[in-house]
Amino acid sequence: DGGITQSPKYLFRKEGQNVTLSCEQNLNHDAMYWYRQDPGQGLRLIYYSQIVNDFQKGDIAEGYSVSREKKESFPLTVTSAQKNPTAFYLCASSITRGEEDEQFFGPGTRLTVL
Amino acid sequence: GENVEQHPSTLSVQEGDSAVIKCTYSDSASNYFPWYKQELGKRPQLIIDIRSNVGEKKDQRIAVTLNKTAKHFSLHITETQPEDSAVYFCAANMDEKLTFGTGTRLTIIP
């Protein structure tokens, strides 16, 4: 699990600002995922990508955007359109299709909107 | 919509006793059911998974059982130890992605 990193660990944002969360992996995994974790709600999928230059919306994509220009990187932008962005954000990767195999998680980024 | 329900949300168990966490899922096409453990302040990690072609899988003190007819699966931890204290998440694959349960906070009482 040391092969997937997220930065920063903590992030503070003023209302109306866009922020970008970084996710990098050196595991040579094809698939990458972004989840949001709120107390009592488990892990909810924001976006996922199974191959470079392609990504799909998850269950709660509104107010978020992603890109997958490189296999190793899957940044998440939290836009001002996201009404309640304060949460813990987890990035994950898997060798191929993560819905059929183990997903490896990063350490997470805690975003707080001031 | 498709979902995974997990119970209980909190569970306290005396050290050495067994713990059981149960999940139900809605999509009969689901065929992969992983369990993740998240210790306080750490990332979730896979502890065991089961596929629909088997009914039970064991790995030392942990086991998972699957009942596809009833669409439920359970995590069993025997001889619990303090290091088992964590939040446990079940998941099932639906529509080309994993859907997670809401988590169970397990506390082992010394």
Side-chain angles (χ1 to χ4, degrees), chain A residues 60-77:
Chain A
I60 56 166
E62 185 175 353
Y64 300 98
S65 66
V66 293
S67 63
R68 187 84 188 277
E69 297 177 1
K70 298 187 299 181
K71 189 175 185 178
E72 305 79 25
S73 179
F74 191 41
L76 173 74
T77 297

Side-chain angles (χ1 to χ4, degrees), chain A residues 1 37 99-100 103 105, chain B residues 36 38 43 45 51 93:
Chain A
D1 57 47
Q37 186 173 23
E99 77 276 15
E100 299 177 348
Q103 294 189 16
F105 285 85
Chain B
Y36 284 81
Q38 187 177 26
R43 68 192 80 189
Q45 291 190 303
R51 300 181 192 272
N93 61 339

Side-chain angles (χ1 to χ4, degrees), chain B residues 25-109:
Chain B
Y25 60 97
S26 55
D27 187 355
S28 57
S30 296
N31 60 4
Y32 176 62
F33 309 91
W35 285 89
Y36 284 81
K37 174 184 180 183
Q38 187 177 26
E39 297 179 37
L40 188 63
K42 296 188 177 181
R43 68 192 80 189
Q45 291 190 303
L46 180 74
I47 55 172
I48 195 167
D49 57 14
I50 191 168
R51 300 181 192 272
S52 59
N53 56 342
V54 298
E56 183 176 2
K57 184 176 179 180
K58 287 184 179 180
D59 183 2
Q60 299 182 340
R61 296 188 297 108
I62 61 172
V64 57
T65 58
L66 172 65
N67 183 328
K68 284 220 73 179
T69 302
K71 291 191 284 188
H72 68 71
F73 57 112
S74 301
L75 178 72
H76 304 254
I77 306 174
T78 59
E79 301 173 15
T80 53
Q81 300 171 4
E83 54 264 36
D84 294 330
S85 292
V87 178
Y88 292 81
F89 294 97
C90 63
N93 61 339
M94 303 178 183
D95 296 329
E96 298 185 339
K97 52 187 183 289
L98 279 183
T99 298
F100 285 84
T102 51
T104 296
R105 182 174 299 279
L106 175 64
T107 302
I108 306 302
I109 305 167

